[in-house]
Amino acid sequence: MTRLVKIGLLILSTQQLQGQEALRETPKPESPHLTPVTWNRLIQASDEPHNWLMYSGTFNSQRFSRLDQIHTRNVSRLRLKWAYQLSALDRAETTPLVVDGVMFVTEAPSNVIALDAATGREYWRYEHELPEDLRICCGRNNRGVAILGETLFMSTLDAHLVAIDARSGNLVWNREVADHRSGYSKTAAPLVVKDKVVTGIAGGEFGIRGFLDSYESRTGNRAWRTYTIPGPDHPDNQSWSGDSWRNGGSPTWITGSYDPDLNLVYWGTGNPGPDYNGDVRLGDNLYADSVLALDGNTGEMDWYFQFTPHDVHDWDAIQIPILADLNIDGNSRRVMMWANRNGFYYTLDRETGEFLVGRPFARQTWAKGLDESGRPIRVPDMFPSENGTIVSPPAAGATNWMSPAFSPRTELFYVMAFDGEAKFFIRDEEYIEGDRYIGGGQTQFLPIEEYTSAVRAIDPRTGETRWEHRVQPQTWAGLLATAGDLIFGGSVDGYFYALDAVSGDELWHISVGSQVRASPMTYAVDGNQYVTIAVGNVIYTFGLEAN
C-alpha cells in the first residue's frame, strides 16, 4: 500500500476568510434554536442521522452514519465549506455534537462553543476556569460533551463535571468529582443514561484509584460510584498484593457504550499503577485493563473481562467498545468488538462477557496467543528490566484511544493500527500523592517511520484482517463509517482522507496543514451532508461542491 500523496496545502481563499470575518462581525442571535434532546431521541439516534447526538454517534458506538449523500462515486467532489479557528492553541481532540443545525464543540483545556453547523458562525462560548496547580499526564485535552434536554455536560481537567445551558452557554451546575491535587483529571465526553450522566476519571500515571460515576442530570448529585479496583471487603482485592490497590490506577478516561435493552453500561479501564513496575503489585490487578459491564441504574457489576492481567507495559484497555448483533456459527449473538492496545482483537458476547474470538491484529511479541477463555499465554522474560526489554507493541499500543468504527453494510470493524516495538525499563519509585507514579519507562527502539501505521478492516467473526491502508507515520486519528460506503480518517502529517469501506482504496484526500488527533463526524442541515474534523486548533467542515 502507498502512503498518502502530498499534493499541496489547503488554502482558505481571501473570499472565504472575508466571509468568515463578516460572519463574526454580524450581531449574534440571542440563542440557537434546537428541540430538546429527550431520552427517547437518544435511544433512537440512528433514526435521525442528520444529527450527531453523542460522542460516538449512537449508544452502540459504531461511529456509523446512515447518511449517504456523500458516497464512493462523488466523494472526490468534497470541498471546504467553512472553518472555525479555536482560540486555544492546544491540539483539538474533540468530536462535535450536532443538534438540529447547532454544533457544540469543546476546546482545550475545558471550554465549549456553540456554532451554526451550516456556516460556522459562533452563538456563544463557555470557558471553565482552571486552577494553576493541575497535574495532568498527557496534554490539556477535552474530547467532547453530552446532551440531555437543553443541557450540555462536560468533564474538565480539574476533575469537575459541569452542566451548561445549551441555548445560552450559562453554567447550570458544577460538581467536583475528585481532588485534582491528587492527580485526578477528566478529559472524556460523558455518556447520558436515562436521566443520569455517566462519567469516568483520568490520572492513571499518578497512583489514583479509578472509578466510574453517575450523576443526576438535573441536580448534579451523585447517583452511584463504582470503583475499578475492588476494596479489601471484596474477594477480587486479592489480585493486588498488600495495599497496592490503594494507588493502583485503573482509570476510565475514554467514553464507554450502552445497551438500552440490557440496561448495561460498558466501559474500559486503564493501566494498573505503577505502570511498569509490577513487583510492587503482584497478581492480576483486577479490574485494570478490562471492560466492565455495569447496571445502568445502580452501577453494580454484571461481568468483566480482563484483556491484560498484571499489565507492565501500560496497555490501557480504554478503547471504545463497539456493539452489534452478528450471526456467528449459525447463531445470532449480541457482541462487543474490541481491538486492544495489547495487539489482540477480541469479539465478546456483550450479554455474558463470554470470549468468542481473539487473534492479533497488529505486531505483538509478548504472548503466544490466547487460551480458550481469552487469557493471554505469555512469552517468558518479556517484562521490563533494568537493562531494557524489547517488546511489541510499545506503550502507545497497537491502537490507542482513537475511535474505531463498524459498518453494518460491510460487517467489518475498522481500526487505526500500529506495528511497533519499544525497550521497556523498570525502576523503584515511591508513591507520593500528586506526583507521577510509573515505576519505569520505555524508549523507541527504531525510528517511528520504520514501523507500519495503517487502517485495518477486521472481520469480527474470525478476527482476520480483510485489508489495510497504510497511513505513515504513526497516526492518532479516529475513524468514521458511512452508508455511502466510506471510511473517513486523518493522518499525523496533516491529511484528511476517505477510503472505500469495501476495498480500502483511497478515494479522496486533502491537506489540512496540521496533524489530526480527533475523530471525524458527519451530519446534515437543510438536506446537505457535511463532514467535520478537528485539526490542530481548527474545526474544518466539508461538503459537496455544487453541480
Side-chain angles (χ1 to χ4, degrees):
M1 298 291 177
T2 59
R3 71 174 61 201
L4 295 174
V5 180
K6 298 184 177 180
I7 63 169
L9 297 176
L10 181 153
I11 302 176
L12 293 178
S13 69
T14 302
Q15 291 85 353
Q16 287 171 313
L17 290 172
Q18 288 174 343
Q20 285 195 22
E21 189 61 31
L23 285 173
R24 291 176 183 270
E25 292 175 356
T26 303
K28 300 175 185 177
E30 292 183 1
S31 63
H33 174 74
L34 56 90
T35 304
V37 179
T38 62
W39 172 241
N40 190 58
R41 284 186 71 183
L42 291 175
I43 292 177
Q44 300 178 12
S46 61
D47 293 337
E48 44 181 293
H50 58 285
N51 288 323
W52 192 270
L53 298 180
M54 61 192 77
Y55 178 71
S56 296
T58 52
F59 281 124
N60 58 25
S61 296
Q62 292 180 4
R63 279 192 178 264
F64 173 81
S65 171
R66 290 167 56 187
L67 294 178
D68 60 2
Q69 185 183 83
I70 303 169
H71 50 72
T72 55
R73 298 177 302 282
N74 66 8
V75 67
S76 61
R77 292 172 41 217
L78 277 184
R79 300 292 184 267
L80 179 70
K81 294 299 182 179
W82 58 262
Y84 179 85
Q85 183 77 46
L86 299 172
S87 299
L89 295 180
D90 296 85
R91 67 189 183 220
E93 297 186 350
T94 183
T95 296
L97 299 192
V98 170
V99 183
D100 303 332
V102 183
M103 178 179 289
F104 300 101
V105 178
T106 55
E107 173 191 69
S110 297
N111 306 326
V112 186
I113 305 157
L115 304 172
D116 184 319
T119 65
R121 178 187 183 188
E122 182 182 311
Y123 288 113
W124 55 255
R125 62 183 291 117
Y126 167 85
E127 297 186 1
H128 179 79
E129 186 175 351
L130 292 169
E132 295 182 357
D133 58 344
L134 285 177
R135 293 165 170 82
I136 54 176
C137 157
C138 310
R140 291 158 54 88
N141 306 319
N142 192 292
R143 299 185 176 94
V145 292
I147 188 168
L148 180 64
E150 299 178 2
T151 306
L152 300 169
F153 305 94
M154 178 179 67
S155 299
T156 69
L157 270 184
D158 58 345
H160 284 230
L161 180 68
V162 297
I164 304 159
D165 187 291
R167 294 187 182 273
S168 65
N170 294 329
L171 182 68
V172 178
W173 50 255
N174 180 348
R175 295 290 179 269
E176 182 183 66
V177 172
D179 188 349
H180 71 273
R181 292 167 295 187
S182 298
Y184 290 91
S185 61
K186 292 170 68 65
T187 60
L191 183 71
V192 169
V193 175
K194 299 180 180 178
D195 60 346
K196 298 179 177 62
V197 184
V198 181
T199 178
I201 197 73
E205 276 64 52
F206 292 87
I208 67 163
R209 182 188 179 194
F211 55 81
L212 190 68
D213 279 350
S214 176
Y215 289 83
E216 300 287 347
S217 61
R218 292 186 179 275
T219 65
N221 295 329
R222 195 171 79 198
W224 52 258
R225 170 170 289 182
T226 298
Y227 282 101
T228 58
I229 301 176
D233 57 341
H234 194 287
D236 288 340
N237 180 261
Q238 297 177 13
S239 64
W240 296 81
S241 57
D243 287 336
S244 60
W245 63 274
R246 297 183 182 275
N247 313 115
S250 190
T252 49
W253 58 273
I254 286 292
T255 311
S257 306
Y258 176 68
D259 186 327
D261 293 332
L262 299 175
N263 191 31
L264 289 179
V265 174
Y266 304 102
W267 219 279
T269 65
N271 60 277
D275 302 39
Y276 305 104
N277 188 346
D279 295 345
V280 299
R281 49 171 174 81
L282 299 177
D284 280 356
N285 305 141
L286 296 172
Y287 306 103
D289 289 349
S290 302
V291 56
L292 311 182
L294 307 180
D295 184 285
N297 296 332
T298 65
E300 294 183 5
M301 190 181 302
D302 195 78
W303 57 263
Y304 73 89
F305 181 89
Q306 188 175 44
F307 299 98
T308 312
H310 192 69
D311 175 22
V312 288
H313 297 100
D314 192 16
W315 290 329
D316 300 57
I318 46 69
Q319 297 74 49
I320 295 176
I322 290 184
L323 316 180
D325 295 344
L326 295 177
N327 190 291
I328 299 179
D329 296 330
N331 298 311
S332 179
R333 304 294 294 260
R334 293 172 164 171
V335 305
M336 173 188 294
M337 295 167 277
W338 198 299
N340 196 267
R341 192 162 161 174
N342 67 13
F344 284 90
Y345 168 82
Y346 302 79
T347 299
L348 307 178
D349 185 306
R350 71 174 183 272
E351 188 169 5
T352 65
E354 179 188 357
F355 171 72
L356 301 176
V357 175
R359 66 182 297 166
F361 73 97
R363 178 176 175 178
Q364 70 82 26
T365 60
W366 67 282
K368 298 177 182 178
L370 306 174
D371 68 16
E372 61 183 12
S373 66
R375 187 179 179 91
I377 305 168
R378 288 185 179 270
V379 173
D381 302 321
M382 298 300 284
F383 282 9
S385 60
E386 291 185 1
N387 294 325
T389 305
I390 300 172
V391 180
S392 293
T399 189
N400 204 286
W401 65 270
M402 47 279 210
S403 297
F406 173 79
S407 170
R409 291 173 57 84
T410 64
E411 294 193 332
L412 293 177
F413 174 97
Y414 304 92
V415 63
M416 180 60 72
F418 180 63
D419 298 330
E421 64 185 5
K423 183 177 286 188
F424 289 84
F425 298 88
I426 191 173
R427 68 170 180 264
D428 292 330
E429 194 167 282
E430 180 183 357
Y431 169 74
I432 300 174
E433 185 176 3
D435 287 355
R436 289 177 70 92
Y437 181 56
I438 60 176
Q442 64 144 20
T443 59
Q444 292 292 142
F445 191 63
L446 289 173
I448 199 168
E449 292 80 6
E450 297 190 21
Y451 298 121
T452 298
S453 178
V455 178
R456 289 185 176 138
I458 297 172
D459 183 340
R461 295 179 176 83
T462 63
E464 295 178 350
T465 297
R466 289 280 189 87
W467 56 256
E468 74 167 22
H469 179 86
R470 293 196 179 186
V471 187
Q472 300 286 89
Q474 184 181 15
T475 293
W476 291 72
L479 302 173
L480 166 71
T482 75
D485 287 333
L486 295 170
I487 302 297
F488 287 93
S491 69
V492 73
D493 59 347
Y495 283 86
F496 187 43
Y497 58 84
L499 308 178
D500 186 306
V502 176
S503 67
D505 294 338
E506 183 182 305
L507 303 177
W508 171 84
H509 70 262
I510 193 167
S511 174
V512 285
S514 184
Q515 64 173 299
V516 184
R517 292 183 62 97
S519 299
M521 51 80 69
T522 187
Y523 62 95
V525 180
D526 296 329
N528 297 312
Q529 184 181 356
Y530 300 92
V531 183
T532 291
I533 185 69
V535 182
N537 64 325
V538 180
I539 307 298
Y540 288 112
T541 294
F542 299 86
L544 293 175
E545 65 179 354
N547 287 322

